[in-house]
Amino acid sequence: MPPSTIDCAPYQAELLALAAALPAVPRADLYAFFEDAIRLAKNLPQGLRDGLDEFNANGNQDGYLLLRGLPVEPDDELPATPTSSPPPEDRRLLNMEAMLCVVGGALGLLTAYDQGYGNRRSITVLHELYPTPDPHPLSGATSKTQLEFHTDLSHHAHQPNYILLSCSRGDHEGKAATLVGSIRKALPLLSDEVREHLYDRVFTRRFDADDPQAIAHVKALYGDKDDPYVSFNRSFLTAETPQDVEALNALSSALSEVTEPVLLTRGDLLIIDNFRIAHGRAPFTARWDGKDRWLHRAYVRTDRNGQLAGGERAGDVVPFVPRR
Ligand SMILES: O=C(O)CCC(=O)C(=O)O
Ligand SMILES: [Fe+2]
């Protein structure tokens, strides 16, 4: 297995014991649930814990860490893939929700975001991703169309460090790969001129098509010049000059060139470094048969790059603060 993948099959029994120690109905009291998940994170198997700590400290070239072989329920014991959110408050804890929160608790602060789009999305730590028939074209509920490269919440001043996606069901045909483009791999493909142009160049980003006042300021490359962070959301970055267009095209091509498809299947948990990769998802065919692709998602903040001000609690909702 590549170094960006950890085989967790040997830890299944220990991980099941951790899941069994969590409250059986997480949404009955989410704060209590997250507190338990964070406490139990200290009991993760040592090999897994070391891999998470190493990734948290230094990242890696690929910009992601994939945990495979986690103890998902047999498919016939899982509920049908949801068709609406939020899930019923009394739904029993699923193993892949347990894994999401224990691993998230090991990495940092599990966080719910007000994304600044009004109340279009439910504000919670525990997101559900599944195909829907008429989705917003830029949302994870798409299936027929490719979800284009983006950085999650790049318009938010407290953009999360990690996106965790755990998989209860993959898609039927094995096509719905999550696409990851690492800036550490793409940077050497950019000319000095493009790097200079993009570094610290401030783009305005409109994040709500219905509201012209909804504007944030986003940089495509920033941070350490030799090892920059990336923020990418092509459809939202307003290029103003021919050089802007050229530089963003070059960044887009470089990210595409290094893109790796990561096909999530049951029992996988993908940790995306949201500062170092842009991600998307390949198109796939939903069947609407209760067995469609079903992921659980959580955002995690760390003390990197101004995400935490101090005094936060896991499960708190971060108010919307546009990036300036
Ligand atoms: O479905 C996936 O693999 C990724 C979804 C995603 O990027 C999103 O919802 O923001
Ligand atoms: Fe995303």
Side-chain angles (χ1 to χ4, degrees), residues 5 11 16 26 35 45 69 72 75-76 86 91 113 117 128 133 158 175 190 194 236 282 301 322 324:
T5 302
Y11 309 131
L16 274 174
E35 256 170 45
V72 65
D75 192 70
D76 57 5
R91 195 176 81 192
Y113 279 89
Y117 305 114
E128 304 262 288
H158 307 298
K175 291 191 173 151
L190 298 177
V194 167
F236 288 148
R301 284 184 289 164
R324 290 287 167 224

Side-chain angles (χ1 to χ4, degrees), residues 61-64 146-152 154 159 161 163 178-186 220-221 228-234 237 251-256 258-262 270 272-281:
Q61 276 298 108
D62 293 335
Y64 71 85
Q146 169 139 337
L147 179 60
E148 297 297 345
F149 262 143
H150 62 278
T151 300
D152 277 13
S154 64
Q159 176 193 316
N161 193 343
I163 308 162
T178 305
L179 307 170
V180 297
S182 159
I183 190 61
R184 281 184 170 161
K185 289 180 171 171
L221 294 180
Y229 298 139
V230 68
S231 180
F232 198 78
N233 212 317
R234 192 53 206 270
L237 290 176
L251 177 59
S252 178
S253 308
L255 287 169
S256 301
V258 301
T259 289
E260 217 188 300
V262 179
L270 178 64
I272 290 176
D273 183 340
N274 195 35
F275 279 83
R276 295 206 197 276
I277 60 183
H279 65 282
R281 194 219 59 246

Side-chain angles (χ1 to χ4, degrees), residues 309-321:
E312 291 90 350
R313 183 180 179 198
D316 276 347
V317 177
V318 188
F320 179 62
V321 186

Side-chain angles (χ1 to χ4, degrees), residues 49-60 65 106-107 161-162 184 227 229 273 276 302-304:
R49 176 97 225 173
D50 290 346
L52 293 171
D53 287 348
E54 167 62 24
F55 183 67
N56 215 358
N58 302 314
N60 61 22
L65 191 64
L107 289 168
N161 193 343
Y162 299 118
R184 281 184 170 161
D227 186 19
Y229 298 139
D273 183 340
R276 295 206 197 276
T302 67
D303 55 10
R304 192 200 254 184

